[in-house]
């Protein structure tokens, strides 16, 4: 048993369509829907069991918090993030795909754990959480400045 919590992106130009999709999914799963406006994304991510997005960088944040991510593919209208193209995000092309994947994630614990494992593997391979990102950024800026000064 779960609730469907929706937090629309502030710049969402298709908010009406996305609300309708969420309402349809809520009816199919017979769950309560809550359109959240006030709560911070981080607290919602910490509470959620599965995260659904439109290829936003918030999907990466959800992966860091060990949440499976379903990305609704918009037929190439927006650029797909690396965690979608090369990573463990589950791609849903339509409402039916979302329903199928949600059912699998909610009813199959081993499938859920497998997705979380792939999240960790992807993050370990592509992102460094070693506390040294500031040094890497500083070195990168210095290397750019050297090229700019030399040109």
């Amino acid at each position: 048993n779960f609730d469907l919590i929706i937090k629309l992106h502030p710049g969402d130009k298709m908010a009406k369509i996305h609300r309708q999709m969420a309402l349809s999914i809520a009816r199919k799963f017979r769950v309560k829907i809550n359109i959240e406006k006030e709560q911070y994304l981080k607290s919602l991510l910490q509470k959620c069991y599965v995260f659904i997005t439109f290829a936003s960088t918030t999907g990466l944040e959800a992966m860091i918090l060990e949440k499976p991510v379903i990305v609704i593919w918009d037929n190439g209208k927006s650029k797909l993030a690396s965690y979608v193209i090369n990573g463990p995000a589950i791609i849903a092309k339509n409402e039916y795909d979302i329903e199928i994947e949600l059912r699998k994630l909610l009813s199959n614990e081993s499938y859920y754990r497998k997705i979380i494992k792939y999240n960790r593997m992807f993050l370990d391979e592509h992102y460094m959480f070693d506390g040294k990102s500031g040094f890497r950024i500083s070195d990168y800026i210095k290397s750019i400045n050297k090229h700019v000064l030399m040109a």
Side-chain angles (χ1 to χ4, degrees), residues 27-102:
R27 277 192 299 272
K28 287 179 182 172
F29 282 88
R30 295 184 181 128
V31 296
K32 184 176 83 173
I33 187 167
N34 179 12
I35 308 260
E36 185 60 59
K37 293 179 182 157
E38 301 301 320
Q39 218 172 99
Y40 289 108
L41 180 64
K42 183 179 177 188
S43 63
L44 290 172
L45 283 172
Q46 289 170 331
K47 288 190 250 180
C48 82
Y49 191 73
V50 177
F51 186 73
I52 303 172
T53 184
F54 282 89
S56 169
T57 54
T58 57
L60 189 58
E61 293 175 58
M63 287 175 55
I64 291 168
L65 293 172
E66 297 192 341
K67 310 296 179 177
V69 176
I70 299 174
V71 173
I72 302 170
W73 190 58
D74 62 0
N75 293 316
K77 292 177 187 159
S78 60
K79 186 178 176 186
L80 292 176
S82 65
Y83 71 89
V84 180
I85 298 168
N86 305 316
I90 300 163
I91 298 175
K93 295 181 181 175
N94 52 45
E95 196 176 306
Y96 177 75
D97 289 351
I98 296 169
E99 182 182 346
I100 296 296
E101 288 302 328
L102 269 176

Side-chain angles (χ1 to χ4, degrees), residues 106-147:
L106 295 171
S107 65
N108 186 336
E109 187 66 30
S110 65
Y111 179 65
Y112 186 92
R113 282 195 302 264
K114 183 172 98 172
I115 297 299
I116 298 302
K117 177 183 172 187
Y118 290 154
N119 283 357
R120 277 191 230 115
M121 289 168 53
F122 176 79
L123 291 169
D124 287 346
E125 183 177 336
H126 295 282
Y127 296 91
M128 291 184 226
F129 299 106
D130 58 2
K132 297 179 183 177
S133 61
F135 294 112
R136 283 191 292 278
I137 291 169
S138 173
D139 290 344
Y140 179 70
I141 292 170
K142 288 176 188 174
S143 74
I144 291 172
N145 283 338
K146 281 183 186 177
H147 294 318

